[in-house]
Amino acid sequence: MTGPAPMPTALTELTGVRYPIVQTGMGWVAGPRLVSASAEAGALGVLASATMTVEQLRAAIREVKSRTNAPFGVNLRADAGDAGERVRIMIEEGVRVASFALAPSKELIARLKDAGVVVIPSVGARRHAEKVAAWGADAVMVQGGEGGGHTGEVATTVLLPQVVDAVGIPVIAAGGFHDGRGLVAALAYGAAGIGMGTRFLLTSDSTVPDPVKAKYLAATVKDVTVTTQVDGLPHRMLRTAMVDSLERSGRAASLLRALRHASAFRRESGASWPQLVRDGLAMKHGKDLSWSQVLLAANTPMLLKASLVEGRTDIGVMASGQVAGLIEDLPSCAELVERIMDEARATLKSLPGAA
């Protein structure tokens, strides 16, 4: 493999990748093409499985393996009713890394580790990082409030050092990263690497339709907002006419729309109604969510699919980190990773006192 020299960190040593960069598991976006391109570029590509059926997951893993010999990961919903079956497939197919949007159970972590799979949960608070570290997680990804999709209120620059100081495992910083300067900043905070979603979405290897990418590129920092009207939880996305419409919707209209989308997602994912109910119960557990909010959660997959797969931004939403306002081009994954590593090394050399 050509390109910049490797940059060893605890993340690269743990996962076997060349560079301390993670392409995060974005639903409808992080499919085999993007993941294999990221992996070939030397980053850790992560396949998003929540929007796939179990059969589609196995096929997607095999497609990535047919495209690259580099290590890659799969992102799972720890609260999904079929999480155990998905873990079995990952183990059978030899996937290197399992990442989770929600904290996996101690038992699930142990099962993966016993099979030699590296476990990297994503967290948005120090206490969550401490919990999964105590349960045996190999590393943790910390997403600050700048990040796209479901997000918290604490900025990466505040959350990251908190977690680094609290746990004794590698920490990956996510939320607000898109270039080599950000990588150096994260390493200076004590992170072992960075995770990027929006930046990888905006590459030529991403399957997101070109007109949708153009809308992202045209966005300014002020065009990225946080709304709770998609699924009842804070969700960072581009402010569009559709988002404005959702925020004006009354309760009855929201619930009717949610039920319609729940039915559509059930057909798309192959899930049964009882399974959707079980997943809803898992989502509600430990959170102050009303049942109407749980139902509204069915909006998320289908509203995202409308924009990110079908190109229908008039009826869909566009999850986005604030960093979209700083991105101006669509490089390939190889070009992006090479650029980031060159920028990082140039930044390190330019620091006062650098050799």
Side-chain angles (χ1 to χ4, degrees):
M1 180 185 293
T2 60
M7 180 180 279
T9 71
L11 171 63
T12 65
E13 293 171 2
L14 183 65
T15 62
V17 299
R18 287 170 61 87
Y19 308 120
I21 299 171
V22 178
Q23 165 255 300
T24 59
M26 300 164 281
W28 306 117
V29 177
R33 191 171 94 179
L34 181 62
V35 171
S36 58
S38 300
E40 276 291 284
L44 178 65
V46 177
L47 194 66
S49 77
T51 52
M52 299 177 184
T53 65
V54 171
E55 293 77 15
Q56 287 170 340
L57 172 58
R58 190 186 291 276
I61 291 171
R62 291 180 175 178
E63 183 175 346
V64 175
K65 289 164 61 177
S66 74
R67 291 168 174 258
T68 181
N69 293 319
F72 66 96
V74 170
N75 181 261
L76 301 167
R77 273 188 55 196
D79 62 344
D82 59 0
E85 187 174 359
R86 292 171 185 264
V87 164
R88 177 179 59 80
I89 289 172
M90 289 176 58
I91 294 172
E92 290 175 353
E93 296 295 333
V95 173
R96 175 67 175 163
V97 176
S99 72
F100 292 89
L102 297 172
S105 67
K106 185 177 182 179
E107 292 72 24
L108 203 57
I109 292 175
R111 180 181 172 190
L112 285 161
K113 292 189 65 171
D114 287 346
V117 181
V118 174
V119 180
I120 308 179
S122 295
V123 300
R126 180 180 64 186
R127 68 182 185 278
H128 298 152
E130 291 172 333
K131 178 173 69 175
V132 295
W135 286 352
D138 296 292
V140 66
M141 179 176 289
V142 176
Q143 178 175 307
E146 301 95 321
H150 291 119
T151 193
E153 298 178 351
V154 182
T156 304
T157 50
V158 176
L159 182 60
L160 176 58
Q162 269 193 324
V163 175
V164 168
D165 290 345
V167 300
I169 57 176
V171 177
I172 304 158
F177 296 100
H178 75 293
D179 62 7
R181 294 174 299 176
L183 173 56
V184 171
L187 296 176
Y189 272 112
I194 57 172
M196 302 189 301
T198 305
R199 177 65 276 196
F200 276 104
L201 184 155
L202 292 173
T203 60
S204 59
D205 294 304
S206 162
T207 56
V208 172
D210 287 341
V212 178
K213 291 179 183 177
K215 291 182 180 293
Y216 276 99
L217 292 178
T220 68
V221 173
K222 291 184 178 180
D223 293 324
V224 186
T225 189
V226 174
T227 181
T228 59
Q229 293 307 112
V230 173
D231 58 10
L233 298 171
H235 202 134
R236 187 174 291 284
M237 58 185 59
L238 293 191
R239 176 164 287 286
T240 61
M242 178 60 180
V243 172
D244 289 339
S245 174
L246 288 172
E247 293 187 337
R248 290 194 304 267
S249 295
R251 181 182 178 88
S254 295
L255 290 176
L256 181 62
R257 181 183 65 246
L259 184 60
R260 185 172 67 250
H261 286 139
S263 179
F265 183 60
R266 185 187 68 81
R267 292 192 301 271
E268 184 77 34
S269 66
S272 65
W273 279 112
Q275 184 174 330
L276 287 180
V277 171
R278 286 195 300 270
D279 288 351
L281 285 168
M283 179 181 296
K284 184 176 171 62
H285 178 70
K287 300 184 180 69
D288 186 23
L289 298 181
S290 66
W291 278 109
S292 62
Q293 287 175 314
V294 171
L295 180 57
L296 284 168
N299 284 335
T300 306
M302 302 314 294
L303 289 176
L304 288 169
K305 184 188 180 189
S307 289
L308 301 179
V309 177
E310 300 164 1
R312 294 292 307 277
T313 57
D314 57 324
I315 61 171
V317 298
M318 303 161 67
S320 176
Q322 285 183 308
V323 77
L326 305 179
I327 297 173
E328 298 178 344
D329 61 353
L330 298 171
S332 68
C333 288
E335 292 167 340
L336 173 63
V337 171
E338 181 171 355
R339 179 198 303 174
I340 289 174
M341 298 313 303
D342 287 344
E343 289 173 347
R345 289 191 167 90
T347 300
L348 287 169
K349 288 180 181 179
S350 70
L351 295 174

